[in-house]
Amino acid sequence: MKTCFVRLTALLALGLSPALAATLVGYAELPADTFAAGPASGAYNGQGVRGAARFPSQPVQGFSGVQAAKDGSYVFLSDNGYGAKANSADFLLRMYRLNLTAKNGPTGKGEVKVGNFIQLRDPDRKVPWLIVNGASADRLLTGADFDVEGFVVAPDGTLWVGDEFGPYLLHFSADGKLLDAPIATPNLVGLPTLKGQAPIVVGHRGSSGTRPEHTLESYRMAIEGGADFVEPDLVVTKDGVLVARHEPVMASVDKDGKVLEATTDVATRPEFKDRLTTKKLDGVDVRGYFVEDFTLAELKTLRAVERLPALRGKNYDGKFEVPTLAEVIALVKDVEAKTGRKVGIYPETKHPTYFRQMGVNTSQLLIDTLKKEGFTNPDRVFIQSFETANLKDLKASIMPKAGVSLPLVQLVSSPDEAPYDWTAQGDTRKYGALTTDAALKDIAAYASGVGAYKRWIITDQGETTDFVARAHAAGLMVHPWTFRNEATYLLPAYANDPEAEMRQALRAGVDGFFTDFPATGANVVRAYTAPEVRSPQNPAFATGTSSSAANLGGSGGFEGVALSPSGKTLYALLEKTVTGDVAGQLRLHAFDLASRTWTLAGRYTLEDAGNAIGDLTPVNATEYLVLERDNGSGDTAKFKRVYKVSTSEKNADGTLKKTLVVDLMNVKDPQGLAPSTRSGTFTFPYVTIENVLVLDANTILVANDNNYPGTGGRGADVKDHTEFLWLKLDAPLNLAEGVGRK
Ligand code: G3P
Ligand code: CA
């Protein structure tokens, strides 16, 4: 007794609940090979190629949803057939009435009788795309049309079914006729950007991950990849023309003449060897070839080379010129003329103090060039700088005098660096001084945003900071840099997935980001901002009508649907995480049956991001049972549980509170009701468990989905049956009136 008390105390001290062990009080099973009338099926393979039918009629199982019928029987929904769209075109979608008799004593006998069925069908042609039996009059629905995973019976007797292919909600009459067009799933998450606007993708130096940076070809690739803006860094030629280079130095060399870094082939040109010189650039001696020592005509004889050849290769060296700002503007205008797309330009005046010391005001030159080229639409330009004084000058003087007003962006580099205009004046502060709440407020007086080094937003431990929230509070947009696909630039937590880093930044609320791979960035933003949640099986992809990629994994749709005890709200829980959401968090939707409007009821957190949910059923107005399981079966099954989730109580991170109700891998069976029970303990090691229903305050019904003709739950070569469990809970549920079997 004392030992037990100590163990319990220790568990509670660790914040853990002691393992629950519900009791099996009833058991029945339905043999795997159970068939109902209907056409032969199982003729299609995983590629959708038709062969010989494996079964003479329709398999009854596996089951993906259950409701109690008034006459004491149960209605079970059959899953989509053989596990995939391609192989399930001859599996008819049905609900079967089952009469269950539990074995509830050592000598009793469990029994399952399959009664009549409801055939789901679309005779009124509500489905607007091609379905398998589209040409027939009754248009019987198949497992290639929808993947049905749960259902409820509304107060008016109609049936609402959750699907995975859309995912959709499907509305049927009581006898299975589709009443409405499939209802798509809206992407309900409001964008956490400054004003809820879509984040922008800035092609950093163009598409510099795939072409030599700051060439027209690099910008063109960025635009083709979906960049909203292209970024030219700007320096000045000897004859006063703004050209795109990251640095004034086009090739830096060491004291022995060895090239350290180059963005052009100038160091290989004997005709320019006299231009090799050493200059002080922002207080540092730099030896090399400088743009300001070349006329535009001379510069145009050079060719761009890859800055990072060891990482990105030299395939495009020698092919492209150094472009002028005017040529970059001409490129985006040409794109607009040909396609209608209004791509913006995000220029950065490089080293303003350095050029100012030469007598060149690059900010003035930039505004003059934009005006001359007719590119002053504030929706299509952001002007950025790592210094502060030039931006203030632009805001207070240069732009007003020129009659233009363009948004400015204060760049904020790493904490060990400083704006050079400060350093040049003896101010020893670093960039951190621009990140306080007061400093952000000051920035907002002259700029519309901050272009922040990304570690201000996501630390090198992968943690999201409060930087974006604080910048937003000051009214500033946030455009971090630089997102790169190569593994060498990614934190270990991203597991070599550059999209994971971009998604974390989007979740943090950034208003856009600079990336060397804008095609990747645009893909991530498209999925993040898509108006609908769509699985890869959504018909929009087959018909080519979707402008974005799938933002939900396959088999990730409405696995759990439940009706509130009031009968007014249908709750629909996704099985997988929507792209961009925190891994392991599942959206719980509330669908108002009267107004047919959706809201986000909350987020359910899986115990492990690799888990999945199997069903959802009501307890009362704010509590619902959820089946959660791992992907193991038989000996590899470890986690099969029933949780109770609250729609009214939230954890500190805003997710819904949940509590363990039953551990299906540890059920007491003192009477030995189930044939698999060993030493009084029953386990339920099926890969998918998709049926749960509250019978009374102390008892729930649970059944697996046997994925007919799947095996593995009770042995590698044993066809899985459907097992029906009556489980007595350790603690009673707080049932609402009307929930449970009378
Ligand atoms: O300008 C912001 C972004 O481009 C990062 O800076 O050094 O690549 O010009 P940088
Ligand atoms: Ca830049």
Side-chain angles (χ1 to χ4, degrees):
M1 194 67 195
K2 190 176 173 201
T3 311
C4 287
F5 175 76
V6 170
R7 277 186 54 213
L8 179 64
T9 310
L11 285 167
L12 292 173
L14 289 169
L16 301 171
S17 306
L20 299 178
T23 305
L24 191 69
V25 294
Y27 179 84
E29 62 184 44
L30 183 65
D33 293 321
T34 301
F35 295 91
S41 72
Y44 293 90
N45 68 12
Q47 285 69 50
V49 178
R50 189 177 185 123
R54 286 178 288 160
F55 311 109
S57 59
Q58 294 289 307
V60 171
Q61 304 155 85
F63 296 132
S64 58
V66 59
Q67 295 297 338
K70 289 198 173 76
D71 65 357
S73 65
Y74 295 86
V75 178
F76 278 83
L77 174 67
S78 292
D79 212 325
N80 91 315
Y82 304 108
K85 194 178 177 95
N87 64 7
S88 300
D90 56 8
F91 184 95
L92 298 175
L93 299 182
R94 293 173 173 176
M95 294 176 186
Y96 286 90
R97 185 176 301 275
L98 266 58
N99 281 288
L100 305 179
T101 305
K103 175 180 177 178
N104 52 17
T107 56
K109 184 171 179 296
E111 193 174 38
V112 181
K113 283 190 182 158
V114 179
N116 57 3
F117 60 82
I118 299 166
Q119 173 65 55
L120 302 182
R121 62 199 199 284
D122 179 30
D124 294 344
R125 310 184 83 82
K126 298 293 183 184
V127 180
W129 56 84
L130 285 176
I131 58 173
V132 172
N133 294 317
S136 65
D138 44 10
R139 289 167 54 95
L140 305 186
L141 295 174
T142 73
D145 302 319
F146 297 102
D147 187 355
V148 290
E149 297 291 356
F151 77 104
V152 301
V153 185
D156 63 2
T158 61
L159 308 169
W160 289 87
V161 174
D163 153 81
E164 286 206 323
F165 287 163
Y168 296 111
L169 284 183
L170 304 170
H171 188 205
F172 294 93
S173 65
D175 66 350
K177 185 174 78 168
L178 191 65
L179 297 173
D180 301 296
I183 298 169
T185 307
N187 192 357
L188 288 172
V189 173
L191 296 172
T193 49
L194 180 63
K195 293 179 179 162
Q197 79 282 16
I200 60 166
V201 173
V202 184
H204 181 246
R205 314 183 195 181
S207 177
S208 54
T210 57
R211 292 293 184 276
E213 66 186 42
H214 291 313
T215 59
L216 288 182
E217 191 59 19
S218 182
Y219 299 131
R220 192 174 285 122
M221 277 218 80
I223 293 167
E224 282 173 10
D228 301 294
F229 283 76
V230 291
E231 187 217 23
D233 293 322
L234 297 172
V235 294
V236 188
T237 63
K238 189 175 185 178
D239 43 352
V241 180
L242 285 173
V243 295
R245 286 294 89 186
H246 183 253
E247 292 294 327
V249 66
M250 298 180 281
S252 59
V253 299
D254 66 13
K255 61 180 175 22
D256 301 321
K258 184 181 161 216
V259 174
L260 300 172
E261 184 176 282
T263 64
T264 70
D265 60 0
V266 64
T268 68
R269 298 296 189 90
E271 67 271 33
F272 294 126
K273 68 174 189 243
D274 62 325
R275 311 292 168 90
L276 179 61
T277 185
T278 301
K279 298 190 185 191
K280 213 167 255 315
L281 179 60
D282 291 0
V284 177
D285 282 339
V286 177
R287 183 163 177 74
Y289 302 83
F290 290 78
V291 169
E292 63 268 21
D293 296 334
F294 290 71
T295 64
L296 180 62
E298 288 172 331
L299 200 70
K300 281 291 186 182
T301 68
L302 303 179
R303 290 294 175 267
V305 297
E306 173 54 55
R307 183 175 64 90
L308 302 169
L311 187 67
R312 294 173 175 172
K314 298 178 171 188
N315 286 351
Y316 299 97
D317 282 11
K319 294 184 190 296
F320 312 121
E321 295 179 5
V322 174
T324 64
L325 173 60
E327 287 170 336
V328 181
I329 295 170
L331 171 67
V332 298
K333 283 186 171 177
D334 185 50
V335 168
E336 184 180 355
K338 287 179 177 148
T339 69
R341 257 186 80 198
K342 295 187 175 183
V343 176
I345 297 178
Y346 207 127
E348 178 190 350
T349 52
K350 280 290 179 191
H351 304 287
T353 297
Y354 170 79
F355 282 107
R356 200 67 202 250
Q357 286 164 347
M358 284 177 220
V360 180
N361 184 332
T362 46
S363 299
Q364 184 67 57
L365 202 47
L366 171 58
I367 296 300
D368 292 347
T369 307
L370 291 171
K371 268 193 89 170
K372 179 161 177 267
E373 301 301 328
F375 203 80
T376 55
N377 179 346
D379 293 335
R380 295 181 71 180
V381 181
F382 284 102
I383 297 174
Q384 49 166 337
S385 179
F386 279 108
E387 296 188 12
T388 62
N390 58 320
L391 289 177
K392 291 177 181 172
D393 194 27
L394 275 162
K395 179 72 176 180
S397 173
I398 297 173
M399 290 200 295
K401 279 186 191 154
V404 300
S405 177
L406 299 170
L408 307 179
V409 172
Q410 177 66 63
L411 296 176
V412 178
S413 194
S414 58
D416 56 333
E417 296 186 339
Y420 188 67
D421 56 323
W422 289 4
T423 307
Q425 293 188 344
D427 185 337
T428 56
R429 288 176 301 156
K430 303 272 171 94
Y431 276 106
L434 287 175
T435 65
T436 64
D437 288 350
L440 291 168
K441 203 169 153 210
D442 290 345
I443 291 171
Y446 61 88
S448 303
V450 281
Y453 171 50
K454 64 185 179 183
R455 292 285 163 257
W456 287 111
I457 292 155
I458 300 171
T459 68
D460 50 16
Q461 272 81 48
E463 284 158 8
T464 299
T465 72
D466 63 357
F467 184 91
V468 175
R470 293 191 301 105
H472 282 178
L476 292 165
M477 287 182 276
V478 181
H479 295 155
W481 42 269
T482 299
F483 291 76
R484 298 181 164 109
N485 284 14
E486 291 103 342
T488 185
Y489 297 111
L490 296 172
L491 297 177
Y494 301 130
N496 292 338
D497 177 7
E499 297 192 1
E501 180 184 36
M502 294 171 179
R503 287 195 291 266
Q504 185 175 0
L506 293 174
R507 281 198 300 275
V510 302
D511 302 276
F513 55 86
F514 292 78
T515 172
D516 290 1
F517 295 83
T520 305
N523 201 35
V524 171
V525 169
R526 265 197 301 272
Y528 191 70
T529 58
E532 288 180 12
V533 173
R534 288 176 172 161
S535 87
Q537 287 78 32
N538 189 295
F541 299 115
T543 55
T545 54
S546 179
S547 61
S548 61
N551 50 3
L552 184 69
S555 193
F558 289 135
E559 189 70 49
V561 293
L563 191 65
S564 66
S566 69
K568 292 181 177 171
T569 306
L570 184 152
Y571 288 98
L573 179 60
L574 291 174
E575 185 178 359
K576 286 188 180 163
T577 302
V578 176
T579 304
D581 289 357
V582 176
Q585 289 188 6
L586 308 179
R587 294 186 190 179
L588 175 64
H589 302 72
F591 181 74
D592 183 83
L593 291 182
S595 63
R596 305 221 169 166
T597 51
W598 297 82
T599 49
L600 190 66
R603 294 172 188 274
Y604 177 89
T605 307
L606 295 165
E607 293 303 296
D608 182 287
N611 285 356
I613 65 102
D615 204 5
L616 182 75
T617 201
V619 174
N620 58 48
T622 59
E623 293 183 320
Y624 293 78
L625 297 187
V626 179
L627 276 169
E628 182 177 335
R629 49 100 184 162
D630 63 13
N631 282 311
S633 70
D635 291 343
T636 66
K638 303 282 180 252
F639 190 103
K640 313 287 174 182
R641 291 184 177 181
V642 181
Y643 282 92
K644 184 174 67 182
V645 66
S646 168
T647 57
S648 61
E649 289 182 274
K650 294 192 172 164
N651 300 308
D653 65 355
T655 57
L656 301 175
K657 278 208 166 145
K658 60 190 267 203
T659 48
L660 179 60
V661 174
V662 178
D663 179 356
L664 294 167
M665 295 302 288
N666 181 26
V667 174
K668 289 177 283 189
D669 183 9
Q671 302 184 87
L673 300 179
S676 61
T677 290
R678 298 287 176 269
S679 307
T681 300
F682 171 84
T683 63
F684 206 40
Y686 288 103
V687 59
T688 50
I689 303 171
E690 305 200 354
N691 308 277
V692 61
L693 191 66
V694 175
L695 300 180
D696 59 48
N698 296 294
T699 318
I700 62 172
L701 178 75
V702 172
N704 60 310
D705 170 0
N706 74 347
N707 295 309
Y708 184 80
T711 58
R714 298 291 182 203
D717 301 321
V718 180
K719 262 190 199 173
D720 290 342
H721 302 318
T722 300
E723 297 186 30
F724 302 84
L725 319 177
W726 284 256
L727 295 168
K728 183 168 184 300
L729 306 178
D730 295 311
L733 299 167
N734 178 24
L735 290 201
E737 177 72 27
V739 174
R741 188 174 269 299
K742 292 287 175 305

